[in-house]
Amino acid sequence: MPDDYNLLNVGGLTSLVTNVKVSLWGNEVLIECVYDPTGDRLPYSLVFQDCRKIMWEVHDEEEIKEPEADLIGIHLGEDAHRTAALIHTDIFAISILYGGFSIHKGENFNSPIADLETEALVSQETAVA
């Protein structure tokens, strides 16, 4: 089975999987990744919609507390529920039979959300001092 990593068009360096989110009762799967983990750490996400079947296998139970998994291989399969996508990492593998797929680059879903009230309070205190 050929690897489809080059079809993602994120470059020639490696990627890490940082999170997997299943929503809408398993109908949507969002796989959050980061490209070039030793350099710029550019985020992107793989979104599978209209999912019908998800199979998950943990390879390395000793590594399950690690925050990131090395992306080893990806096969995107075919949409319209014809062939499942297969994603292999050093910790887990997931197979997703899906209707539609998209990739979103430059979106960091794990970035901290600013606490605007706290920032406003600190700005006011700095201005008074």
Side-chain angles (χ1 to χ4, degrees):
M1 174 177 352
D3 188 81
D4 291 336
Y5 186 72
N6 62 333
L7 296 178
L8 301 178
N9 200 23
V10 292
L13 299 176
T14 64
S15 286
L16 299 174
V17 175
T18 58
N19 201 0
V20 177
K21 294 180 180 177
V22 178
S23 60
L24 302 173
W25 303 112
N27 192 257
E28 183 173 284
V29 177
L30 171 75
I31 300 175
E32 299 171 359
C33 302
V34 63
Y35 168 73
D36 188 15
T38 59
D40 294 331
R41 294 189 63 88
L42 304 169
Y44 67 95
S45 62
L46 310 174
V47 183
F48 296 91
Q49 300 99 6
D50 190 20
C51 299
R52 300 276 172 87
K53 185 175 183 180
I54 303 167
M55 294 186 349
W56 190 286
E57 180 183 350
V58 175
H59 298 306
D60 192 345
E61 293 178 21
E62 295 176 3
E63 299 292 323
I64 59 172
K65 299 215 184 238
E66 290 296 318
E68 301 172 327
D70 292 325
L71 183 62
I72 295 172
I74 183 168
H75 176 64
L76 295 175
E78 295 179 50
D79 63 0
H81 311 104
R82 292 178 286 196
T83 307
L86 304 171
I87 299 165
H88 288 303
T89 74
D90 61 332
I91 301 172
F92 69 91
I94 188 169
S95 170
I96 306 166
L97 190 62
Y98 64 97
F101 167 81
S102 59
I103 183 170
H104 303 270
K105 296 178 184 175
E107 298 178 23
N108 190 350
F109 296 97
N110 291 323
S111 62
I113 298 171
D115 182 350
L116 298 178
E117 292 179 14
T118 304
E119 287 181 8
L121 182 61
V122 170
S123 296
Q124 289 174 355
E125 290 174 356
T126 306
V128 173

mmCIF file of all heavy atoms in Angstrom, residues 9-35:
data_model
loop_
_atom_site.group_PDB
_atom_site.id
_atom_site.type_symbol
_atom_site.label_atom_id
_atom_site.label_comp_id
_atom_site.label_asym_id
_atom_site.label_seq_id
_atom_site.Cartn_x
_atom_site.Cartn_y
_atom_site.Cartn_z
ATOM 1 N N ASN A 9 0.808 17.598 1.073
ATOM 2 C CA ASN A 9 1.507 18.809 0.646
ATOM 3 C C ASN A 9 1.923 19.688 1.832
ATOM 4 O O ASN A 9 1.755 20.893 1.811
ATOM 5 C CB ASN A 9 0.646 19.592 -0.349
ATOM 6 C CG ASN A 9 1.474 20.547 -1.172
ATOM 7 O OD1 ASN A 9 2.674 20.365 -1.329
ATOM 8 N ND2 ASN A 9 0.836 21.574 -1.688
ATOM 9 N N VAL A 10 2.481 19.024 2.851
ATOM 10 C CA VAL A 10 2.993 19.780 3.986
ATOM 11 C C VAL A 10 4.509 19.884 3.949
ATOM 12 O O VAL A 10 5.086 20.604 4.741
ATOM 13 C CB VAL A 10 2.536 19.183 5.342
ATOM 14 C CG1 VAL A 10 1.053 19.354 5.533
ATOM 15 C CG2 VAL A 10 2.936 17.739 5.472
ATOM 16 N N GLY A 11 5.145 19.173 3.031
ATOM 17 C CA GLY A 11 6.592 19.227 2.896
ATOM 18 C C GLY A 11 7.218 17.863 3.078
ATOM 19 O O GLY A 11 6.527 16.863 3.254
ATOM 20 N N GLY A 12 8.535 17.830 3.063
ATOM 21 C CA GLY A 12 9.251 16.567 3.122
ATOM 22 C C GLY A 12 9.693 16.145 4.506
ATOM 23 O O GLY A 12 10.219 15.055 4.677
ATOM 24 N N LEU A 13 9.518 16.997 5.513
ATOM 25 C CA LEU A 13 9.934 16.645 6.866
ATOM 26 C C LEU A 13 8.869 15.799 7.556
ATOM 27 O O LEU A 13 7.810 15.547 7.003
ATOM 28 C CB LEU A 13 10.220 17.917 7.671
ATOM 29 C CG LEU A 13 11.332 18.807 7.123
ATOM 30 C CD1 LEU A 13 11.460 20.079 7.936
ATOM 31 C CD2 LEU A 13 12.659 18.056 7.088
ATOM 32 N N THR A 14 9.120 15.424 8.770
ATOM 33 C CA THR A 14 8.202 14.559 9.497
ATOM 34 C C THR A 14 7.063 15.346 10.144
ATOM 35 O O THR A 14 7.117 16.571 10.262
ATOM 36 C CB THR A 14 8.936 13.789 10.602
ATOM 37 O OG1 THR A 14 9.434 14.728 11.549
ATOM 38 C CG2 THR A 14 10.070 12.970 10.041
ATOM 39 N N SER A 15 6.056 14.601 10.572
ATOM 40 C CA SER A 15 4.925 15.176 11.297
ATOM 41 C C SER A 15 4.683 14.381 12.570
ATOM 42 O O SER A 15 5.062 13.214 12.676
ATOM 43 C CB SER A 15 3.653 15.128 10.449
ATOM 44 O OG SER A 15 3.680 16.078 9.428
ATOM 45 N N LEU A 16 4.055 15.039 13.512
ATOM 46 C CA LEU A 16 3.618 14.406 14.745
ATOM 47 C C LEU A 16 2.108 14.555 14.861
ATOM 48 O O LEU A 16 1.549 15.573 14.453
ATOM 49 C CB LEU A 16 4.264 15.072 15.965
ATOM 50 C CG LEU A 16 5.780 15.036 16.067
ATOM 51 C CD1 LEU A 16 6.243 15.860 17.259
ATOM 52 C CD2 LEU A 16 6.267 13.603 16.191
ATOM 53 N N VAL A 17 1.456 13.560 15.430
ATOM 54 C CA VAL A 17 0.037 13.661 15.753
ATOM 55 C C VAL A 17 -0.035 14.158 17.190
ATOM 56 O O VAL A 17 0.596 13.592 18.093
ATOM 57 C CB VAL A 17 -0.670 12.297 15.601
ATOM 58 C CG1 VAL A 17 -2.117 12.394 16.063
ATOM 59 C CG2 VAL A 17 -0.600 11.821 14.154
ATOM 60 N N THR A 18 -0.784 15.244 17.408
ATOM 61 C CA THR A 18 -0.866 15.841 18.739
ATOM 62 C C THR A 18 -2.195 15.572 19.432
ATOM 63 O O THR A 18 -2.293 15.694 20.642
ATOM 64 C CB THR A 18 -0.639 17.367 18.665
ATOM 65 O OG1 THR A 18 -1.619 17.940 17.795
ATOM 66 C CG2 THR A 18 0.759 17.674 18.153
ATOM 67 N N ASN A 19 -3.228 15.221 18.641
ATOM 68 C CA ASN A 19 -4.539 14.982 19.247
ATOM 69 C C ASN A 19 -5.454 14.322 18.221
ATOM 70 O O ASN A 19 -5.305 14.539 17.019
ATOM 71 C CB ASN A 19 -5.158 16.299 19.707
ATOM 72 C CG ASN A 19 -6.227 16.114 20.757
ATOM 73 O OD1 ASN A 19 -6.540 15.003 21.169
ATOM 74 N ND2 ASN A 19 -6.803 17.213 21.195
ATOM 75 N N VAL A 20 -6.388 13.544 18.720
ATOM 76 C CA VAL A 20 -7.441 12.969 17.887
ATOM 77 C C VAL A 20 -8.753 13.268 18.582
ATOM 78 O O VAL A 20 -8.929 12.949 19.762
ATOM 79 C CB VAL A 20 -7.272 11.440 17.715
ATOM 80 C CG1 VAL A 20 -8.421 10.859 16.901
ATOM 81 C CG2 VAL A 20 -5.937 11.108 17.059
ATOM 82 N N LYS A 21 -9.671 13.926 17.859
ATOM 83 C CA LYS A 21 -10.972 14.269 18.428
ATOM 84 C C LYS A 21 -12.068 13.598 17.603
ATOM 85 O O LYS A 21 -12.106 13.742 16.384
ATOM 86 C CB LYS A 21 -11.184 15.782 18.414
ATOM 87 C CG LYS A 21 -10.238 16.534 19.325
ATOM 88 C CD LYS A 21 -10.493 18.018 19.273
ATOM 89 C CE LYS A 21 -9.529 18.758 20.185
ATOM 90 N NZ LYS A 21 -9.704 20.211 20.092
ATOM 91 N N VAL A 22 -12.931 12.893 18.289
ATOM 92 C CA VAL A 22 -14.074 12.249 17.654
ATOM 93 C C VAL A 22 -15.312 13.001 18.126
ATOM 94 O O VAL A 22 -15.513 13.173 19.331
ATOM 95 C CB VAL A 22 -14.149 10.755 18.037
ATOM 96 C CG1 VAL A 22 -15.363 10.098 17.411
ATOM 97 C CG2 VAL A 22 -12.874 10.034 17.620
ATOM 98 N N SER A 23 -16.126 13.472 17.176
ATOM 99 C CA SER A 23 -17.319 14.228 17.555
ATOM 100 C C SER A 23 -18.517 13.766 16.733
ATOM 101 O O SER A 23 -18.385 12.951 15.822
ATOM 102 C CB SER A 23 -17.075 15.732 17.361
ATOM 103 O OG SER A 23 -16.768 16.022 16.024
ATOM 104 N N LEU A 24 -19.660 14.325 17.078
ATOM 105 C CA LEU A 24 -20.922 13.997 16.403
ATOM 106 C C LEU A 24 -21.171 12.491 16.421
ATOM 107 O O LEU A 24 -21.516 11.884 15.418
ATOM 108 C CB LEU A 24 -20.931 14.544 14.970
ATOM 109 C CG LEU A 24 -20.724 16.051 14.837
ATOM 110 C CD1 LEU A 24 -20.573 16.449 13.377
ATOM 111 C CD2 LEU A 24 -21.863 16.808 15.500
ATOM 112 N N TRP A 25 -20.922 11.892 17.580
ATOM 113 C CA TRP A 25 -21.136 10.463 17.798
ATOM 114 C C TRP A 25 -20.321 9.609 16.844
ATOM 115 O O TRP A 25 -20.750 8.567 16.380
ATOM 116 C CB TRP A 25 -22.616 10.107 17.721
ATOM 117 C CG TRP A 25 -23.422 10.893 18.695
ATOM 118 C CD1 TRP A 25 -24.333 11.853 18.391
ATOM 119 C CD2 TRP A 25 -23.372 10.818 20.117
ATOM 120 N NE1 TRP A 25 -24.856 12.385 19.540
ATOM 121 C CE2 TRP A 25 -24.287 11.762 20.625
ATOM 122 C CE3 TRP A 25 -22.642 10.050 21.025
ATOM 123 C CZ2 TRP A 25 -24.488 11.951 21.984
ATOM 124 C CZ3 TRP A 25 -22.853 10.245 22.374
ATOM 125 C CH2 TRP A 25 -23.764 11.183 22.838
ATOM 126 N N GLY A 26 -19.125 10.065 16.540
ATOM 127 C CA GLY A 26 -18.227 9.307 15.672
ATOM 128 C C GLY A 26 -18.379 9.644 14.200
ATOM 129 O O GLY A 26 -17.689 9.076 13.362
ATOM 130 N N ASN A 27 -19.241 10.591 13.874
ATOM 131 C CA ASN A 27 -19.453 10.952 12.477
ATOM 132 C C ASN A 27 -18.344 11.838 11.940
ATOM 133 O O ASN A 27 -18.144 11.920 10.738
ATOM 134 C CB ASN A 27 -20.816 11.639 12.312
ATOM 135 C CG ASN A 27 -21.218 11.781 10.871
ATOM 136 O OD1 ASN A 27 -21.109 12.863 10.306
ATOM 137 N ND2 ASN A 27 -21.663 10.694 10.266
ATOM 138 N N GLU A 28 -17.598 12.503 12.825
ATOM 139 C CA GLU A 28 -16.485 13.345 12.397
ATOM 140 C C GLU A 28 -15.251 13.021 13.240
ATOM 141 O O GLU A 28 -15.347 12.877 14.454
ATOM 142 C CB GLU A 28 -16.827 14.826 12.540
ATOM 143 C CG GLU A 28 -15.717 15.742 12.038
ATOM 144 C CD GLU A 28 -16.125 17.193 12.013
ATOM 145 O OE1 GLU A 28 -16.874 17.565 11.096
ATOM 146 O OE2 GLU A 28 -15.720 17.935 12.916
ATOM 147 N N VAL A 29 -14.109 12.899 12.566
ATOM 148 C CA VAL A 29 -12.837 12.641 13.243
ATOM 149 C C VAL A 29 -11.860 13.728 12.819
ATOM 150 O O VAL A 29 -11.642 13.951 11.632
ATOM 151 C CB VAL A 29 -12.268 11.244 12.887
ATOM 152 C CG1 VAL A 29 -10.913 11.035 13.539
ATOM 153 C CG2 VAL A 29 -13.245 10.146 13.300
ATOM 154 N N LEU A 30 -11.285 14.399 13.800
ATOM 155 C CA LEU A 30 -10.312 15.465 13.578
ATOM 156 C C LEU A 30 -8.973 14.980 14.123
ATOM 157 O O LEU A 30 -8.865 14.649 15.308
ATOM 158 C CB LEU A 30 -10.743 16.738 14.302
ATOM 159 C CG LEU A 30 -9.747 17.885 14.349
ATOM 160 C CD1 LEU A 30 -9.675 18.572 12.999
ATOM 161 C CD2 LEU A 30 -10.135 18.874 15.425
ATOM 162 N N ILE A 31 -7.963 14.921 13.262
ATOM 163 C CA ILE A 31 -6.626 14.507 13.682
ATOM 164 C C ILE A 31 -5.724 15.730 13.597
ATOM 165 O O ILE A 31 -5.483 16.261 12.513
ATOM 166 C CB ILE A 31 -6.105 13.354 12.812
ATOM 167 C CG1 ILE A 31 -7.051 12.157 12.943
ATOM 168 C CG2 ILE A 31 -4.679 12.980 13.208
ATOM 169 C CD1 ILE A 31 -6.732 10.998 12.054
ATOM 170 N N GLU A 32 -5.286 16.194 14.754
ATOM 171 C CA GLU A 32 -4.442 17.381 14.828
ATOM 172 C C GLU A 32 -2.988 16.960 14.725
ATOM 173 O O GLU A 32 -2.556 16.020 15.395
ATOM 174 C CB GLU A 32 -4.699 18.127 16.128
ATOM 175 C CG GLU A 32 -6.123 18.604 16.240
ATOM 176 C CD GLU A 32 -6.459 19.166 17.607
ATOM 177 O OE1 GLU A 32 -5.586 19.176 18.503
ATOM 178 O OE2 GLU A 32 -7.603 19.589 17.786
ATOM 179 N N CYS A 33 -2.247 17.679 13.886
ATOM 180 C CA CYS A 33 -0.848 17.333 13.629
ATOM 181 C C CYS A 33 0.010 18.589 13.661
ATOM 182 O O CYS A 33 -0.487 19.705 13.593
ATOM 183 C CB CYS A 33 -0.703 16.691 12.244
ATOM 184 S SG CYS A 33 -1.704 15.212 11.996
ATOM 185 N N VAL A 34 1.310 18.357 13.739
ATOM 186 C CA VAL A 34 2.270 19.443 13.613
ATOM 187 C C VAL A 34 3.373 18.959 12.676
ATOM 188 O O VAL A 34 3.846 17.835 12.784
ATOM 189 C CB VAL A 34 2.812 19.895 14.991
ATOM 190 C CG1 VAL A 34 3.560 18.799 15.691
ATOM 191 C CG2 VAL A 34 3.674 21.126 14.869
ATOM 192 N N TYR A 35 3.707 19.805 11.721
ATOM 193 C CA TYR A 35 4.743 19.517 10.738
ATOM 194 C C TYR A 35 6.041 20.177 11.181
ATOM 195 O O TYR A 35 6.012 21.249 11.780
ATOM 196 C CB TYR A 35 4.312 20.053 9.368
ATOM 197 C CG TYR A 35 5.412 20.061 8.339
ATOM 198 C CD1 TYR A 35 5.855 18.877 7.775
ATOM 199 C CD2 TYR A 35 6.014 21.246 7.956
ATOM 200 C CE1 TYR A 35 6.871 18.871 6.845
ATOM 201 C CE2 TYR A 35 7.027 21.254 7.020
ATOM 202 C CZ TYR A 35 7.454 20.062 6.469
ATOM 203 O OH TYR A 35 8.467 20.049 5.556
#
